[in-house]
């Protein structure tokens, strides 16, 4: 902004000098600083009662200054990225947007929609929480776990997953060797992140492959402590994404499907205990870590297998996201390529493995332009409800 924008403001301030009995250049500087601090930066300012010559000007005393000039200076300061109601411009905590995105963009996951929204909203609205928020996402690949993690990041942080307040760890990539656990410096990385941004979002993908030593190393950060070595982690958020429990979730969904019940009737009471049990009995870091024995996971979030109708909705969203037009025939073709049985009888047919190598190739061809290929725990392609290319 040009300096001439501030010239009228400075002239106006100078015209008021006699009114404030400014006796020296130092007093002028002090008053200008105090004015900007109290009125532009919205600082906590109280008059100095001991020295009448150093009392901080109040807003009423500046009522003669044109508001346009005050607004101009305020807008310039905020344009620097330092002026936010939340106190941290990187953090937006848009719960309304989170609810909307979960409702409109996530298909076939009514349990995840409900649990994630309630857990996140409750945590954000409770600044006195006695521990970080820890969520564990469960289900086969392609059901939306990473997608929901991204939705959370997009609505809680100004820059989404690119924010310096968001950190993604992929277990096989970042921590490939069990014998090198002590060299990965995960504790230091988490501590440095929280020091820079107290409400940091940590995402651990393929968490079932984490070494138990790694989880135990960061377990104190998720526990009920005021601080750990002088640092408070109570505003941090930890997400663990894994395939653990995928078969159990599918079995429950199939039982409802075979009995003619709506999948929307599946409740947390049908899955949460089974997920907790299977997680504790599974192989890998989760079962062997103190994270489980200490009951530090706040919510186990199940992701159900997608039905035919959900795959069509995902394909439609992917086309729309790319500004492309589509029709029902194209959406049907994409969805059918993702089903084991080519003879689709109902929109409630459940997504499964493609039909052989030819169907798998067709699915991948469609998904390259519509959505992204997802591999299940056995290496075979399954449905994916993520309209963005990875």
């Amino acid at each position: 902004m040009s300096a001439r924008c501030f010239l009228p403001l400075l002239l106006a301030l100078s015209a008021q000098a006699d009114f404030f009995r400014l006796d020296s250049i130092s007093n002028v500087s002090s008053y200008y600083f105090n004015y900007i601090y109290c009125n532009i930066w919205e600082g906590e300012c109280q008059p100095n009662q001991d020295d009448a010559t150093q009392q901080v000007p109040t807003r009423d005393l500046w009522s003669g200054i044109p508001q346009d000039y005050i607004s101009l200076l305020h807008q310039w300061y905020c344009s620097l990225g330092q002026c936010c109601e939340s106190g941290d411009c990187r953090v937006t905590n848009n719960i309304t947007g989170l609810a909307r995105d979960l409702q409109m963009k996530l298909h076939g996951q009514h349990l995840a929609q409900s649990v994630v929204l309630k857990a996140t909203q409750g945590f954000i609205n409770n600044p006195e929480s006695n521990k970080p928020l820890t969520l564990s996402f469960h289900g086969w690949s392609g059901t939306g776990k990473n997608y929901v993690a991204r939705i959370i990041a997009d609505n809680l942080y100004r820059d989404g997953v690119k924010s310096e307040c968001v950190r993604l760890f992929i277990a096989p990539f970042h921590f490939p060797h069990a014998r090198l656990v002590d060299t990965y410096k995960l504790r230091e990385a988490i501590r440095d992140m929280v020091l820079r941004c107290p409400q940091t979002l940590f995402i651990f993908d393929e968490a079932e492959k984490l070494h138990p030593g790694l989880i135990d190393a960061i377990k104190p950060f998720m526990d009920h402590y005021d601080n750990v070595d002088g640092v408070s982690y109570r505003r941090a958020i930890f997400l663990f994404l894994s395939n653990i429990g995928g078969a159990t979730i599918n079995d429950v969904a199939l039982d409802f499907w075979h009995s003619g019940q709506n999948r929307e009737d599946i409740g947390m009471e049908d899955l949460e205990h089974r997920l907790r049990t299977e997680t504790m009995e599974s192989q890998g870091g989760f079962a062997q870590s103190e994270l489980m024995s200490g009951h530090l996971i706040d919510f186990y979030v199940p992701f159900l297998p997608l039905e035919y109708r959900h795959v069509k909705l995902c394909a439609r969203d992917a086309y729309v996201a790319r500004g492309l037009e589509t029709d029902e025939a194209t959406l049907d073709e994409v969805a059918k390529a993702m089903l084991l049985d080519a003879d689709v009888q109902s929109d409630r047919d459940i997504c499964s493995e493609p039909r052989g190598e030819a169907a798998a190739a067709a699915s991948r061809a469609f998904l390259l332009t519509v959505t992204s290929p997802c591999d299940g725990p056995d290496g075979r392609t399954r449905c994916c409800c993520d309209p963005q290319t990875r």
Side-chain angles (χ1 to χ4, degrees), residues 40-290:
I40 305 301
W41 293 350
E42 307 290 346
E44 295 287 340
C45 53
Q46 297 294 332
N48 187 330
Q49 300 296 334
D50 298 328
D51 186 353
T53 67
Q54 292 299 313
Q55 290 184 6
V56 178
T58 65
R59 294 176 188 273
D60 292 338
L61 293 176
W62 294 92
S63 59
I65 306 301
Q67 186 61 39
D68 289 346
Y69 296 132
I70 306 301
S71 299
L72 196 62
L73 186 56
H74 187 273
Q75 292 172 8
W76 168 78
Y77 177 73
C78 290
S79 70
L80 300 178
Q82 305 298 321
C83 181
C84 303
E85 292 182 4
S86 66
D88 188 338
C89 297
R90 300 166 299 181
V91 179
T92 57
N93 289 341
N94 184 5
I95 298 300
T96 301
L98 176 63
R100 180 185 63 249
D101 285 353
L102 289 173
Q103 180 66 34
M104 302 299 295
K105 297 180 179 180
L106 183 65
H107 304 298
Q109 303 295 354
H110 67 284
L111 293 176
Q113 289 172 344
S114 175
V115 175
V116 168
L117 179 60
K118 289 180 179 178
T120 306
Q121 184 174 25
F123 178 75
I124 295 300
N125 292 340
N126 179 21
E128 303 301 322
S129 174
N130 61 3
K131 70 178 293 294
L133 176 62
T134 305
L135 304 179
S136 185
F137 292 178
H138 298 264
W140 272 348
S141 296
T143 51
K145 300 188 299 295
N146 276 284
Y147 191 37
V148 171
R150 185 160 60 238
I151 288 177
I152 293 173
D154 287 343
N155 286 284
L156 297 191
Y157 303 94
R158 179 189 61 195
D159 300 323
V161 292
K162 296 181 179 180
S163 171
E164 61 182 18
C165 295
V166 177
R167 183 67 185 271
L168 169 66
F169 296 102
I170 304 173
F173 178 77
H174 290 98
F175 319 111
H177 304 296
R179 66 179 182 276
L180 300 178
V181 167
D182 293 336
T183 68
Y184 289 133
K185 306 297 183 183
L186 180 58
R187 284 177 57 91
E188 291 79 359
I190 291 179
R191 183 178 187 275
D192 290 345
M193 287 285 294
V194 172
L195 283 173
R196 291 197 301 268
C197 180
Q199 188 184 299
T200 294
L201 172 65
F202 297 101
I203 305 170
F204 292 87
D205 196 10
E206 299 188 53
E208 72 276 9
K209 299 176 184 177
L210 287 169
H211 189 276
L214 274 175
I215 301 179
D216 288 343
I218 63 173
K219 176 256 183 186
F221 301 154
M222 291 173 274
D223 213 329
H224 300 74
Y225 296 126
D226 289 338
N227 65 79
V228 179
D229 294 332
V231 179
S232 175
Y233 297 86
R234 289 186 168 187
R235 300 314 302 163
I237 302 173
F238 292 85
L239 303 183
F240 293 91
L241 286 53
S242 74
N243 292 329
I244 297 174
T248 296
I249 295 170
N250 288 355
D251 287 344
V252 171
L254 282 170
D255 287 343
F256 271 72
W257 183 70
H258 286 307
S259 64
Q261 300 180 73
N262 293 323
R263 67 188 278 126
E264 288 74 17
D265 293 332
I266 300 175
M268 286 300 295
E269 64 276 7
D270 299 308
L271 285 167
E272 187 170 23
H273 177 71
R274 296 176 66 173
L275 276 180
R276 187 189 303 270
T277 301
E278 184 166 340
T279 301
M280 295 188 70
E281 295 176 351
S282 65
Q283 299 295 318
F286 257 58
Q288 303 171 39
S289 73
E290 295 181 10

Side-chain angles (χ1 to χ4, degrees), residues 228-366:
V228 179
D229 294 332
V231 179
S232 175
Y233 297 86
R234 289 186 168 187
R235 300 314 302 163
I237 302 173
F238 292 85
L239 303 183
F240 293 91
L241 286 53
S242 74
N243 292 329
I244 297 174
T248 296
I249 295 170
N250 288 355
D251 287 344
V252 171
L254 282 170
D255 287 343
F256 271 72
W257 183 70
H258 286 307
S259 64
Q261 300 180 73
N262 293 323
R263 67 188 278 126
E264 288 74 17
D265 293 332
I266 300 175
M268 286 300 295
E269 64 276 7
D270 299 308
L271 285 167
E272 187 170 23
H273 177 71
R274 296 176 66 173
L275 276 180
R276 187 189 303 270
T277 301
E278 184 166 340
T279 301
M280 295 188 70
E281 295 176 351
S282 65
Q283 299 295 318
F286 257 58
Q288 303 171 39
S289 73
E290 295 181 10
L291 187 65
M292 293 298 303
S293 60
H295 305 287
L296 297 179
I297 295 178
D298 297 304
F299 297 94
Y300 294 82
V301 185
F303 283 76
L304 304 173
L306 302 181
E307 293 181 356
Y308 179 79
R309 56 193 169 112
H310 303 132
V311 181
K312 289 180 63 176
L313 291 172
C314 293
R316 180 205 63 189
D317 290 351
Y319 272 108
V320 171
R322 289 165 173 76
L324 302 175
E325 296 183 359
T326 187
D327 51 41
E328 286 298 313
T330 301
L331 298 181
D332 278 328
E333 194 169 358
V334 173
K336 287 178 180 178
M338 299 302 296
L339 293 176
L340 178 63
D341 186 355
D343 184 17
V344 178
Q345 302 294 331
S346 167
D347 279 349
R348 294 188 60 203
D349 280 355
I350 292 181
C351 173
S352 183
E353 299 90 341
R355 294 166 282 110
E357 291 302 321
S363 299
R364 293 189 182 94
F366 277 113

